[in-house]
Structures are given as structure tokens and as C-alpha cells.
Amino acid sequence: MTERTIQLGHGGGGRLSRDLIREQVLSRFGEGPLRSLPDAALLPWKAKGLVFSTDSFVVNPLRFPGGSIGHLAVHGTVNDLAVSGARPLWLSLALILEEGLPFAVLAAVLDDVQAAARDCQVGIATGDTKVVGRGQCDGMYICTSGVGEPLSGFALSPRRIQVGDRLLVSGPLGDHGVAIMAAREGIRIGHPPRSDTASVHRLVLAVAQGHAEQVRLMRDPTRGGLAAVLNEWVEDREIGIRVQEQALPFSPGARALAETLGLDLLQVPSEGRMVLMCAPEAAEAICKLWREMPEGRDAAVIGEATAEAGRVVIQTAVGGRRLLDIPQGELLPRIC
Amino acid sequence: MTERTIQLGHGGGGRLSRDLIREQVLSRFGEGPLRSLPDAALLPWKAKGLVFSTDSFVVNPLRFPGGSIGHLAVHGTVNDLAVSGARPLWLSLALILEEGLPFAVLAAVLDDVQAAARDCQVGIATGDTKVVGRGQCDGMYICTSGVGEPLSGFALSPRRIQVGDRLLVSGPLGDHGVAIMAAREGIRIGHPPRSDTASVHRLVLAVAQGHAEQVRLMRDPTRGGLAAVLNEWVEDREIGIRVQEQALPFSPGARALAETLGLDLLQVPSEGRMVLMCAPEAAEAICKLWREMPEGRDAAVIGEATAEAGRVVIQTAVGGRRLLDIPQGELLPRIC
């Protein structure tokens, strides 16, 4: 019998990741807040509760067009809290550093952490630093955890999605993933894509004022991209989702590179975007709100919930249909 | 000019670690709760506050006599919360896994996480899993963060230490560090030392009932050992600490191995012990309480606060004195 071992695809955010987490993590810890596979957990805490989230960052290269591992480490955890309906307040910062890492590299990354945390109005509350020998980590890894305060009015759950609900995205999809791949492969094109790494918490705060109750679910489409998020939302449910292909926002650089690299941008991570499902009557209002904000300039209504249980379908411009499956996940190792 | 780079000693918990954290972390994030170099932060949160802590674990080997990285990942963060005067409630669990790691190794470590979390009565609330390629981490690293509820009555601060206050430890010192070194070096002796990895939160809960106000400070002597903790407590303060050498509890195995390896057990990490400074009138009562508990069986009063500002002194059995300095930190890489 061959020994089963961890494969790169287990970290890709697709089917392999999901299966690993189910088999190894949920089987052991799935009775509590982890049960619903959240990117963050809503915990009982005094009157209002507490939202708690964690993420490790192992991106390669450490610095890429549009940002660095330092930006990702803040934005990733802030965004997990935000799309869980919380106001992000405090982060922890754990560093794993490789012997020989230049101080200048560390300092530049920590400058980015500082700038991103200020921008997101979160404090770095506590930290830890470990050093491993040469060849035992690839420069540096960062783990951030975050705590946030639940915003009033949200009752986020896939169970609340109804046929006819509308699907929104806050901006172009996949820029982060293609920017990393281009940097890693040394690909040069005319308008090179830049990572979209950014926080979405202001987009969430804007929605919270007046539209919280109309929102069914929010997520940031990171590993596995939009495909992973939407498939997770409909899995084992009575509803499906139909996405209008021509409504999907993509940046020209990401489009060009995805073609070159043979990537489906719907499976490629963004690190500064959010997806939201809401009651149909709220969709245009939320989209308008977002478009007035720099981080939501290219927001769009891209689809709706259907009665096709468990299926995510892309409706093409010419009237065709294709199934958008959950990615396997081998494509993009160490993307965040 | 030579480029400054990260050295193994920067992770050792001694002077190099302290300087790195001051220069790179506190300089950027030191205005908030991080200012006092805590292993955990007390955050404003509703009425009572919230205690928040994080730790990465990069121990080599993953499994050692007495425990595994899974036990450490739970105990380390639970203990940081506990000695900050909190009841640990929830942990996050972030895994960085290396391609090729056998599932069986992962499963065994997660079994240990589960068992340790149950024993500590904390829930695993949220998690994250990343995979890196072969040669990019040494099997697996774990980062846990924790949130806890402040226990009533504690007002922990080095500023509250007064001359004559008593110093207690909950059990033998240094077992974890020597167990790791023995495992790594393949050293075999008659009574091989076992890691003391365990939680101290029940010791803290016991103290909280009736003695909280008499406690000045608590800590778990991990990286850098007792020497690092005590030196941190007296640094830049008007008080010093005198430790009675003959009162210090050590296990026979640790004593034998420390001699073989040339280690000073006062600089070697424990992972299931705590140190406490309290008003003199509480010392015997706390020591008695602890000795009635399995994890405090070998508790002892080991010293007291003095007027020798900033100095930690060891009083030997024959009446001699030596300064106990903060370790440099190069000795024991990847010990936790």
C-alpha cells in the first residue's frame, strides 16, 4: 500500500483542500464553531459575540507587483473578519524567519504590515518570532490571527439564500493570482497585472449601514477563486447559482496573462475583492454604494441564485451554458 | 558594509531575540498593547476585556519523549493566556505542511492537538492550512492563537513587585529543552528526560480563587528559561531578584543531561511550568495549593525580590553569589 502524503494541491483551496480539511480537521474539531467551514468563527462572548480568524501566508515571492507578504498578512485576516460581518479590531503577528534572511527584507515587510494595519485601522496586539535554519523555510512565513466585533444586523448563512437573490463582486477577479504567477515565471507583458491585495472592510461597513439584513452571505474569493466560493455556497443545498459571463469584471492584464498561462480567472485568487449574495431589491443599491468607493469602482451584479440545486452555471454571452466546478487546486501553489 | 541577516540566535528567547523584537517589532507596533512585551495582550472588549495571544511552533523533531508539536501548539498558547491572568477559551489552528508529509504524521499530531485541547477545555474555533513544496518547511509548522477571558482580581505588572515578594515555580525546570536536545542528538541515558509539555491553566485558576490580588506577575519560562523571565521582570526597574540555588527543582534526568550537554538549566525552556511572584504572606499558601495538584507536585518557593535594582542573583548553597544574566540565545534552535 502506498503511503498517503501531502501534495501541493492540498493547499490550493480546491477539492483536495476541502477533502483534507474534512478528513483531518473537521473530523476532530468540527463540533464547535469550525463546523460550518468558516474563514472566521463567531464565538459567544459577552453580549455581542466575538469573531476570530487565522491565516498563514507562505507566498512566493515575498514581494510582487502591487504588494508583499506583509500586505497579504494584514489584508487576508482583516478580510476574513470583514466578510464574516465583523469590524476588524486587533491582529496577532507571528513570524517564522529563515536564518540568513536580510534584515532589510524583514524591515520592508514589517513596514508593509504597519502601513496596511494603519489603513485598516487595526492594531497589532501581540506577536511571536521564531527562527529556523537555512533551508527550513523559504525566507519568511507569517501567521496572523484577528479578532473583530460583530456588526449589527448581519445574519449570514447559506441557508438564507433564496432563488432570485443577486450575486455581486466588488471588482476585477484574479489579479492577485496572475500577478504572482507572472512574477514567479518572469513573464513580461505590456500592462503587467498587479496584485489586488487590499482590505474589503470598508465595503462591508458601507453595506452594514442600511443593508445588513438583506445580505445572505459574503466572502473574499482567495484560494480557488470565485469557483471555490460559489461551489461551497451551493454544495448540498437546494439552490444553485447562475453567473452571467459578460458581467464578470476582469482587468485587461489579468485577461491577457490568464490566456498566456492557460488559467481560468474564475479559479484564480483575488486578495482584495469580495463576493456578496443579497436580496434582489438590495442589489443595485449596494452596487451603487460600492462604485462610489475606490475599492469598489468596478463592482458589478454578476449573477443570481437559481433552483438548480448544487450547481454553479456560467451563462455565456451567446447563450451557452457551462458548469463551473470546484477547482482541483494543484494549479497555484504558494499564492498567498 | 556587511549585510545584517537573521541568525538562529534571534529565535532563542535571549538577548538577540529581545533586541530583534525591540528594533523591528516594537519600533513599529509598540504604541498599543504590544508595548509591554507581553506574551499575550489584554484588549479593551466590552465590560471585562479580552486576552489575545499567538505562538508559532517549529520544533524539531515533531515528536519527542513526552509529547509532540501538537501538544506544544495547544499548551504554549493556553499557557500564555493563563499566565496573563485569563481563562483560555478558544484557539485558532494554522498549519503549514510540507509536500510529502505522510498523512499518518499529520493525523497523529492533530490527535495530540485534540487531546490537549480537550484537556485544557479550549475549543479549536477556526483554522487554516497551507502547503509548501519539498524543502520549504521541515515537515510541518503550526501557529496557534488564543483568546481568553480575564479572571477577576489579577492586576499583573512588574511595577507591583516589592522588595520581599516571593518567587515560586510550579515544578522542575528545563525538562522540555533537554528532552528535545537528547532526542535530536540521539543521546541515551538511564532515565531519559521527558518534555514537561502541559498546561498550567489549572494552577492559575487555583491561584485566582483567593490569591489573585496578592500575585504580582506570572510567566511560563519557555525560550530562554527562568533566566530570561527573571531578567525581563527586573530590567530597568528598581528591584532585583535573588534565587536560592538549593531550592530550585530539577529532575534527575535533566540534571544529568544538562551536565553532559553543557547546558545551564536556568536558561533551558520548560513547556509546562510557571513562575509566579507574590506578596510574601501568600507564598506558602499558593505553594501548598499547587503541591496538591499533579502539575504542581514539585512546586517550590525559590527566591525573593530584592533592592538590587535590575539584577538577578543566584545564592549558592555554600553562600556564594553569581549573576544570572539573560542568555544570548544561540544554544537551542527550534526547541518549540
Side-chain angles (χ1 to χ4, degrees):
Chain A
M1 201 183 106
T2 319
E3 184 185 52
R4 290 176 68 209
T5 60
I6 294 293
Q7 308 300 316
L8 281 175
H10 285 118
R15 194 180 299 276
L16 278 170
S17 296
R18 185 196 64 180
D19 293 347
L20 173 72
I21 289 165
R22 282 191 182 164
E23 180 189 317
Q24 297 294 332
V25 180
L26 291 183
S27 62
R28 291 180 174 85
F29 310 110
E31 290 306 301
L34 251 177
R35 189 176 37 224
S36 52
L37 274 172
D39 277 337
L42 174 62
L43 305 178
W45 202 276
K46 306 287 178 270
K48 286 193 63 182
L50 162 75
V51 177
F52 185 29
S53 181
T54 194
D55 250 323
S56 289
F57 298 88
V58 298
V59 68
N60 166 34
L62 294 176
R63 188 163 294 282
F64 42 81
S68 80
I69 190 172
H71 297 111
L72 286 184
V74 173
H75 296 147
T77 295
V78 161
N79 289 348
D80 282 347
L81 294 172
V83 298
S84 303
R87 181 192 304 275
L89 292 175
W90 298 98
L91 298 188
S92 63
L93 177 71
L95 307 171
I96 299 177
L97 309 177
E98 185 176 3
E99 182 185 14
L101 180 75
F103 265 59
V105 172
L106 174 63
V109 166
L110 292 177
D111 282 343
D112 295 338
V113 169
Q114 184 179 36
R118 279 188 185 153
D119 174 60
C120 298
Q121 294 178 281
V122 294
I124 305 294
T126 185
D128 179 56
T129 305
K130 294 288 189 303
V131 178
V132 298
R134 286 175 198 274
Q136 292 167 353
C137 88
D138 195 9
M140 68 186 296
Y141 300 148
I142 301 182
C143 180
T144 50
S145 299
V147 291
E149 186 179 45
L151 293 162
S152 322
F154 283 117
L156 305 170
S157 166
R159 284 189 210 91
R160 289 186 60 225
I161 301 179
Q162 295 169 33
V163 175
D165 281 351
R166 294 294 195 276
L167 181 68
L168 282 70
V169 292
S170 65
L173 292 166
D175 285 339
H176 176 73
V178 293
I180 295 290
M181 292 309 287
R184 212 184 281 168
E185 308 290 332
I187 297 171
R188 289 166 204 280
I189 60 166
H191 296 277
R194 292 169 63 81
S195 166
D196 53 275
T197 183
S199 85
V200 300
H201 82 286
R202 276 180 288 256
L203 296 170
V204 172
L205 290 176
V207 171
Q209 298 178 329
H211 297 287
E213 285 161 28
Q214 296 159 304
V215 175
R216 316 300 194 203
L217 264 181
M218 303 185 284
R219 277 293 283 284
D220 50 337
T222 57
R223 283 182 293 171
L226 187 71
V229 170
L230 299 188
N231 275 285
E232 196 182 294
W233 284 3
V234 303
E235 194 174 20
D236 302 327
R237 311 227 162 257
E238 293 302 305
I239 51 109
I241 293 174
R242 184 174 54 237
V243 174
Q244 299 294 339
E245 192 170 46
Q246 78 255 47
L248 287 165
F250 298 117
S251 70
R255 232 189 249 274
L257 252 172
E259 205 156 300
T260 308
L261 295 165
L263 296 171
D264 179 352
L265 282 175
L266 297 179
Q267 300 191 346
V268 171
S270 305
E271 291 288 342
R273 306 293 177 218
M274 63 179 288
V275 193
L276 178 149
M277 183 73 87
C278 66
E281 63 273 19
E284 283 307 323
I286 292 174
C287 209
K288 183 163 177 292
L289 266 178
W290 281 0
R291 285 190 186 142
E292 287 163 5
M293 304 169 70
E295 60 265 63
R297 199 177 49 224
D298 300 310
V301 180
I302 60 166
E304 63 187 286
T306 67
E308 288 190 81
R311 291 165 77 90
V312 180
V313 170
I314 306 290
Q315 182 95 43
T316 65
V318 294
R321 286 161 55 89
R322 66 181 173 93
L323 207 61
L324 181 64
D325 203 1
I326 182 172
Q328 292 299 312
E330 309 79 343
L331 291 172
L332 303 171
R334 294 186 55 198
I335 209 82
C336 63
Chain B
M1 199 183 109
T2 318
E3 184 186 53
R4 291 175 68 208
T5 61
I6 294 293
Q7 308 301 315
L8 280 175
H10 284 117
R15 194 180 300 277
L16 277 170
S17 297
R18 185 195 63 178
D19 293 347
L20 173 72
I21 289 165
R22 283 192 183 163
E23 180 188 318
Q24 296 294 331
V25 179
L26 290 183
S27 61
R28 291 180 174 84
F29 310 111
E31 290 306 299
L34 252 179
R35 187 176 39 225
S36 52
L37 274 172
D39 277 337
L42 173 62
L43 305 178
W45 201 277
K46 306 289 178 269
K48 286 194 63 183
L50 162 75
V51 178
F52 185 30
S53 181
T54 193
D55 250 324
S56 289
F57 299 88
V58 298
V59 67
N60 166 35
L62 294 177
R63 188 163 294 282
F64 43 80
S68 80
I69 190 173
H71 296 111
L72 286 185
V74 172
H75 296 148
T77 295
V78 160
N79 290 348
D80 282 346
L81 294 172
V83 298
S84 304
R87 181 193 302 277
L89 292 174
W90 297 101
L91 299 188
S92 63
L93 177 70
L95 307 170
I96 299 178
L97 309 177
E98 185 176 1
E99 183 185 15
L101 180 76
F103 265 59
V105 172
L106 174 63
V109 166
L110 292 177
D111 282 343
D112 295 339
V113 169
Q114 185 180 34
R118 278 188 185 153
D119 174 59
C120 299
Q121 295 178 279
V122 294
I124 305 294
T126 185
D128 179 55
T129 305
K130 294 288 191 299
V131 178
V132 298
R134 287 175 198 274
Q136 292 167 353
C137 88
D138 195 10
M140 67 186 296
Y141 300 148
I142 301 182
C143 180
T144 50
S145 299
V147 293
E149 186 178 45
L151 294 161
S152 321
F154 284 117
L156 305 171
S157 166
R159 286 189 209 92
R160 289 186 60 225
I161 301 179
Q162 296 170 34
V163 175
D165 282 349
R166 295 295 194 278
L167 181 69
L168 283 70
V169 293
S170 65
L173 293 167
D175 286 339
H176 176 73
V178 293
I180 295 289
M181 292 308 286
R184 213 184 280 169
E185 308 289 333
I187 297 170
R188 289 166 202 279
I189 61 166
H191 295 279
R194 292 168 62 81
S195 166
D196 54 275
T197 183
S199 86
V200 300
H201 82 285
R202 275 180 289 257
L203 297 170
V204 172
L205 290 176
V207 171
Q209 298 178 332
H211 297 286
E213 285 160 28
Q214 297 160 304
V215 175
R216 315 300 193 203
L217 263 180
M218 304 185 283
R219 276 293 283 282
D220 50 337
T222 58
R223 284 182 292 170
L226 186 71
V229 170
L230 299 188
N231 275 286
E232 196 181 297
W233 284 2
V234 302
E235 193 174 22
D236 302 325
R237 311 226 163 258
E238 293 303 303
I239 51 109
I241 293 174
R242 182 173 58 236
V243 175
Q244 298 294 340
E245 192 169 46
Q246 77 254 47
L248 287 164
F250 297 117
S251 70
R255 234 188 248 274
L257 252 172
E259 207 155 298
T260 307
L261 295 166
L263 296 172
D264 178 353
L265 283 175
L266 296 180
Q267 300 191 347
V268 171
S270 305
E271 291 288 342
R273 306 293 177 217
M274 64 177 288
V275 194
L276 178 149
M277 183 74 88
C278 66
E281 63 273 18
E284 284 306 324
I286 292 173
C287 209
K288 184 163 175 291
L289 264 180
W290 280 1
R291 285 189 186 142
E292 287 164 5
M293 304 169 69
E295 60 266 60
R297 200 175 50 224
D298 300 310
V301 180
I302 60 166
E304 63 188 285
T306 68
E308 288 189 80
R311 292 164 76 89
V312 181
V313 169
I314 306 290
Q315 182 94 43
T316 65
V318 294
R321 286 161 55 90
R322 64 179 173 93
L323 206 61
L324 181 65
D325 203 1
I326 182 171
Q328 292 299 312
E330 310 76 344
L331 291 171
L332 304 170
R334 293 185 57 197
I335 208 80
C336 63

